[in-house]
Amino acid sequence: MYRQASRFVIRAAAAGRGGTAASRSFSTDLPAAPSEDSAFVEAWRKVAPNIEPPKTPLSFMKPRPPTPSSIPSKLTVNFVLPYQSEIANKEVDMVIIPATTGQMGVLPGHVATIAELKPGLLSVHEGSEVTKYFVSSGFAFIHANSIADIVAVEAVPVDRIDPSSVQKGLADFTQKLSSASTDLEKAEAQIGVDVHSALNAALSG
């Protein structure tokens, strides 16, 4: 009976719409045209006439490019951190991201996807040149119009990582994990082991 419940819900919803499923556009199909909330601005002017209204996303958002009819030859990548932008609107051949489900390669025309990042190696491929970053965590938003927005909590180019510090950190956290007596100590030590193991793998790979 429970297995049939979803079927009944779908039928009821379709009946409420006249028996046909309404089509819904993806967010990348809808232009994000910049606009201003006139009601908010008017209310602000009444309260603080001598102070300019604060800027909102609607004030500076650029219109989203439409989904092309054919697959483009390049993937446009935006790679940002909380404190700076590493890559902005750069056309590349491919990016490989460390998703929680495994390493994921993204090419032009990739299906729209949201992927959570885990500590690991992010590589940006542009012709024969490959730029590698170690990322701690974050999200990747792959849009149907061949644009990839990658947001990481922390990232560092692989060539700036000291291998000896990674080995020392891995040994220290492994020792802490074996001697941990509480769940909190075990969890903190396990996180340290996981991150340094991923750092070590990034350096060796």
Side-chain angles (χ1 to χ4, degrees):
M1 179 65 184
Y2 291 110
R3 294 179 180 176
Q4 305 298 325
S6 59
R7 238 183 256 177
F8 296 146
V9 171
I10 294 171
R11 286 177 186 170
R17 293 192 297 261
T20 58
S23 60
R24 182 177 179 183
S25 301
F26 288 103
S27 62
T28 50
D29 297 329
L30 303 175
S35 61
E36 190 176 70
D37 189 340
S38 56
F40 171 78
V41 172
E42 184 179 350
W44 180 274
R45 296 291 187 195
K46 292 178 181 178
V47 176
N50 298 324
I51 303 176
E52 286 296 317
K55 296 294 183 181
T56 63
L58 291 179
S59 305
F60 51 79
M61 282 178 65
K62 296 180 180 179
R64 296 187 183 99
T67 302
S69 57
S70 59
I71 297 177
S73 60
K74 295 288 185 178
L75 175 74
T76 303
V77 175
N78 298 297
F79 178 32
V80 297
L81 306 175
Y83 49 86
Q84 70 182 27
S85 174
E86 284 288 338
I87 300 174
N89 293 319
K90 186 175 184 179
E91 292 188 342
V92 302
D93 297 315
M94 175 180 67
V95 294
I96 300 177
I97 62 175
T100 53
T101 54
Q103 291 292 108
M104 185 172 80
V106 182
L107 294 164
H110 195 285
V111 65
T113 306
I114 298 177
E116 182 180 359
L117 306 182
K118 66 178 180 180
L121 187 65
L122 166 73
S123 58
V124 181
H125 298 251
E126 185 181 8
S128 58
E129 182 181 347
V130 181
T131 307
K132 297 181 179 181
Y133 299 88
F134 181 83
V135 297
S136 62
S137 58
F139 286 91
F141 304 88
I142 316 302
H143 307 286
N145 52 11
S146 293
I147 294 179
D149 295 323
I150 303 170
V151 184
V153 175
E154 187 61 81
V156 61
V158 172
D159 56 10
R160 296 184 188 174
I161 301 174
D162 181 13
S164 60
S165 297
V166 173
Q167 294 295 336
K168 183 178 182 302
L170 181 58
D172 290 344
F173 279 107
T174 302
Q175 174 62 32
K176 289 180 181 179
L177 182 60
S178 62
S179 62
S181 58
T182 66
D183 290 340
L184 178 60
E185 290 176 349
K186 290 178 182 178
E188 290 177 343
Q190 186 63 59
I191 291 172
V193 170
D194 291 344
V195 171
H196 283 80
S197 296
L199 276 165
N200 195 41
L203 290 172
S204 60

